[in-house]
Amino acid sequence: MTAFALLMLLSCRQATVPEHYSDIKMLPKIYPEYDDVTVPVNIAPLSFELRLKVDEAVVRYSAEGVDIVCGGVKACPDNDEWRALAEKAKGKDITVEVFAKKDGKWMRFNPFAIHVSPDSIDSYLSYRLISPSYVAYEELTLNQRCLENYNEKVIVDNMLCSTEAGGQCVNCHSYQQYHPGRMQFHARQNMGGTVIVYDGNVEKVDMANDSLLSAGVYPAWHPWLPLIAYSTNKTMQAFHTTDINKIEVLDSESDLVVYDVEHHEVATVEQGKDELEIFPFWAPDGKYLYYCSAHFEYKNNNADPVEITMRANELKYNIYRKAFDPSTRQFGERELVFDAASVDKSATLPRISPDGRWLLFTLGDWGCFHIWHRDADLWMMDLKAMTGDGTAEKTERGGAVEAEALNSDNTESYHSWSSNGRWVVFSSRRNDGVFTRPFIAHFDGNGVFSKPFELPSEDPDYHRQLMKSYNVPEFMRGPVNLTPQQFADVLKSKATPVRYVRRLKASSTTP
C-alpha cells in the first residue's frame, strides 16, 4: 500500500461529521458517479472524489447503525470496514452524506443511496490493458483484478516476448465456464500461436493450416467439452478521413471452425459462400452455437480488401445459431435468430445469460468492430420469444429491445455475464470518448438492468489518470496462478501443430 493510500485511510478513521451545517438541495458532483447504483455485497469499497472547489470535505457512509466517516475531497473507505458495512446493508441501502466547508460554513448535499444487492459477483475480472491507438499496441498486458478488493496482477506481459526485431500482440483471452485453469489467448506476429491452459497442461498450438483462412481468432469455449469454437479471419484496418469514427477494422473473409483441445484437431463449422462469419458463442446447455454473419457479394467473386473497404457501410451482421449434438459433435443447419439487416443495423458479440434465456449483444449501424463506433449500444433479446423455426417473433426490432439502462451517448461494446447471471460487465467510452472503462450493472433476471457503476479504484482519480483502455472484460471464479514469465516461456517454445479433419471425433465426455 502506498503512503498516500495509507494517509487517506487514516483520514477516513479520524474525520468527524460537522455538528452544524445547512442543507443544499442538490446532489454533490462526484466521480465516479455512484449515486443510486446497485452493487454486489462483496464488491470493493466505492471510493469517490468531490468535484467541487471546497476548503474541507467529510463523507459519511451509513447503514443499520454502522458508519464510515472519511475526511477530504477523496472518500476512500477501509476495505474491512466497508465489508462489514456492506454486510449490514445487504438487501438494503448504504446512505451517503457529503459535507463540504466553503468560506467558513459547512453545508450538506442531498444524501444519496448505494443499493447493496445480496447477489454476489464473481471474485475476479480479467481484461487487456492497451493504449487506445492503432500503433502503440506492443506495450500491453493481460491483467486480473480481484473485485473484492483493489488487488491487480499481470497475467501476460507482452513486452517479455516483443523485441525491436519482432513485434507481438496478445489478445482474445477467454475461459471455460469462468474457470481460470481453463483459459486461452492468442499471440500474433513474433512467436505467434494460441496458448491453451487446460487442467494443468499449458501449451502453444499453431492452428495455421492450408485448409483454413487463418489461425483461430475470436474464441468461445464449449461449456464442458474440451472444444473451442473460433472464427478464422482475414482482418485489416482502414482509416476514416471525415467520419467521427477514425479507425475501422474489417474482415475481407471469415469462417467458423472448432478446435479439439485433447486431439489437436480442427474442423470447419460454417463456410458459407458470400458470408462473413464471426464471434461464436455457445449456449450454456452446449446444444447451440450462436454467431454473427454478414452477407457480402464481391463484384468479381474474389475477396478484394479495397472493395470491401469502400463498401464497408454495407456490412450488416445478423445473429444465427446452429444446433449441436454433444455426443456426436455434429452441427445442424443454421437458423436466423436476429435479423439486424432488416432494420438496417449490424449485430455483434452475442452473449447468453447462464440460465439460457437472455441474449445480450452489441448493435451498431454497420460493421463488426463496434468498439470503434460511437453509435454502438447494448441490446437484449428474450430467447423465450423464439418461434418454433428458431426465428424471433415478428416485432419492430425482431424481438430485441435496447438495454437502455446500460447505454450512453458514446461506445458500449464488449460485455459478459457473471456466473450467476445477476451481473454484466461491459466496456464503455462514456467518460471521454477515448478510453474504455469497465462498468458493472445488476440484472434482475426478468429483463431489467440497474444503473451501471464504474469499476471501483483505490484512488478514485485512477481512471482519469490511466492512459490505457480496458478491452474484453471477462469474469472469473478465481485468479490465474501462472506467472507472466511462465507464459513468456511457453510463447518462446515451439508450437504444437494442429491437424485439419473433416469431422470431429465423437465425445465420451459428459457434463
Side-chain angles (χ1 to χ4, degrees):
M1 180 180 295
T2 64
F4 173 79
L6 180 59
L7 287 173
M8 290 303 302
L9 295 180
L10 288 173
S11 176
C12 283
R13 288 196 291 270
Q14 295 173 354
T16 58
V17 176
E19 295 181 2
H20 305 287
Y21 53 84
S22 59
D23 282 326
I24 304 298
K25 300 302 181 183
M26 60 180 290
L27 287 173
K29 292 182 179 180
I30 62 172
Y31 174 79
E33 295 181 5
Y34 286 147
D35 57 286
D36 198 34
V37 297
T38 299
V39 303
V41 66
N42 60 326
I43 196 68
L46 267 62
S47 299
F48 65 85
E49 63 180 319
L50 184 61
R51 299 187 63 186
L52 294 171
K53 290 183 178 181
V54 298
D55 301 324
E56 295 181 50
V58 172
V59 174
R60 175 165 61 189
Y61 304 79
S62 59
E64 301 298 303
V66 177
D67 292 349
I68 300 176
V69 179
C70 299
V73 293
K74 292 185 178 182
C76 304
D78 172 77
N79 192 70
D80 291 338
E81 292 178 357
W82 174 268
R83 291 292 293 272
L85 183 67
E87 191 62 35
K88 280 281 187 180
K90 184 165 64 175
K92 304 172 187 176
D93 293 342
I94 293 173
T95 300
V96 183
E97 299 167 277
V98 177
F99 303 83
K101 186 178 183 181
K102 191 170 180 63
D103 299 329
K105 297 180 180 180
W106 281 98
M107 53 187 172
R108 184 184 72 159
F109 294 92
N110 277 348
F112 61 86
I114 296 173
H115 313 294
V116 181
S117 171
D119 297 324
S120 61
I121 199 167
D122 297 294
S123 57
Y124 275 79
L125 184 74
S126 64
Y127 39 83
R128 182 170 66 154
L129 285 181
I130 184 171
S131 299
S133 168
Y134 61 91
V135 291
Y137 64 86
E138 290 187 62
E139 189 181 345
L140 62 86
T141 56
L142 298 182
N143 286 32
Q144 58 188 355
R145 159 76 189 272
C146 180
L147 294 178
E148 297 178 345
N149 52 48
Y150 304 119
N151 293 340
E152 182 183 43
K153 291 184 178 180
V154 174
I155 302 173
V156 179
D157 186 345
N158 189 54
M159 294 300 287
L160 292 178
C161 292
S162 190
T163 67
E164 291 182 3
Q168 187 185 46
C169 174
V170 295
N171 59 4
C172 297
H173 57 284
S174 65
Y175 308 88
Q176 186 179 49
Q177 289 293 85
Y178 312 92
H179 191 329
R182 294 182 176 180
M183 68 169 291
Q184 74 93 68
F185 67 89
H186 300 305
R188 295 185 297 179
Q189 297 169 278
N190 182 45
M191 302 178 189
T194 300
V195 175
I196 297 177
V197 181
Y198 196 79
D199 292 349
N201 183 52
V202 186
E203 67 176 341
K204 182 175 75 171
V205 300
D206 180 7
M207 213 173 297
N209 188 283
D210 290 343
S211 299
L212 304 177
L213 290 175
S214 69
V217 179
Y218 301 108
W221 285 84
H222 188 273
W224 72 85
L225 292 173
L227 301 177
I228 309 175
Y230 290 101
S231 62
T232 58
N233 309 64
K234 288 191 175 180
T235 303
M236 58 193 176
Q237 285 185 329
F239 302 88
H240 299 284
T241 55
T242 59
D243 196 288
I244 193 171
N245 301 310
K246 298 304 180 187
I247 304 172
E248 203 59 56
V249 178
L250 302 167
D251 294 326
S252 60
E253 296 179 82
S254 56
D255 297 322
L256 292 183
V257 301
V258 169
Y259 174 62
D260 185 328
V261 173
E262 291 182 334
H263 298 101
H264 298 101
E265 293 178 343
V266 62
T268 298
V269 173
E270 188 77 355
Q271 196 176 30
K273 185 180 184 301
D274 302 325
E275 292 289 326
L276 300 169
E277 299 94 350
I278 198 172
F279 296 133
F281 191 82
W282 295 94
D285 64 4
K287 295 181 180 179
Y288 283 96
L289 179 65
Y290 286 72
Y291 63 98
C292 302
S293 185
H295 185 79
F296 187 84
E297 297 181 20
Y298 286 99
K299 293 178 180 178
N300 61 1
N301 291 323
N302 293 318
D304 182 351
V306 174
E307 180 183 347
I308 200 168
T309 300
M310 299 303 295
R311 297 172 55 197
N313 60 359
E314 298 177 30
L315 294 171
K316 310 287 184 176
Y317 284 78
N318 297 326
I319 299 177
Y320 297 89
R321 70 179 184 182
K322 293 173 73 74
F324 178 73
D325 186 333
S327 60
T328 63
R329 299 189 178 183
Q330 298 306 304
F331 291 89
E333 298 299 317
R334 81 171 187 175
E335 304 170 2
L336 180 64
V337 175
F338 176 62
D339 190 351
S342 68
V343 291
D344 199 30
K345 295 290 183 180
S346 184
T348 60
L349 298 168
R351 298 288 184 266
I352 302 169
S353 59
D355 63 4
R357 177 177 177 181
W358 301 97
L359 171 63
L360 191 65
F361 59 93
T362 305
L363 191 70
D365 287 342
W366 54 275
C368 66
F369 218 71
H370 284 145
I371 194 170
W372 287 113
H373 292 188
R374 296 195 177 206
D375 56 72
D377 284 324
L378 295 177
W379 281 62
M380 187 169 60
M381 184 174 175
D382 186 353
L383 294 178
K384 279 189 174 181
M386 297 283 286
T387 60
D389 63 356
T391 57
E393 290 181 346
K394 302 300 182 184
T395 61
E396 182 181 358
R397 289 287 184 177
V401 296
E402 182 184 354
E404 293 185 54
L406 305 184
N407 294 323
S408 69
D409 293 335
N410 220 299
T411 305
E412 275 71 48
S413 55
Y414 296 115
H415 51 276
S416 65
W417 294 90
S418 65
S419 62
N420 61 7
R422 288 295 178 261
W423 304 93
V424 295
V425 61
F426 60 96
S427 293
S428 176
R429 289 185 173 166
R430 65 187 61 197
N431 285 351
D432 53 26
V434 177
F435 295 95
T436 53
R437 302 292 182 236
F439 282 76
I440 299 171
H442 184 259
F443 182 68
D444 71 352
N446 293 304
V448 179
F449 288 102
S450 67
K451 176 183 175 180
F453 64 94
E454 192 169 341
L455 177 69
S457 301
E458 186 171 16
D459 181 346
D461 201 42
Y462 175 70
H463 281 151
R464 294 204 299 170
Q465 303 296 327
L466 179 66
M467 305 296 285
K468 295 287 183 71
S469 282
Y470 292 74
N471 281 17
V472 195
E474 292 283 345
F475 286 115
M476 305 145 65
R477 297 181 188 271
V480 174
N481 291 319
L482 293 167
T483 67
Q485 189 58 59
Q486 286 175 303
F487 277 121
D489 291 341
V490 173
L491 284 168
K492 293 173 183 177
S493 67
K494 185 177 180 180
T496 302
V498 169
R499 187 165 67 96
Y500 181 82
V501 295
R502 295 291 182 183
R503 294 169 61 97
L504 294 176
K505 293 181 173 67
S507 176
S508 58
T509 306
T510 57

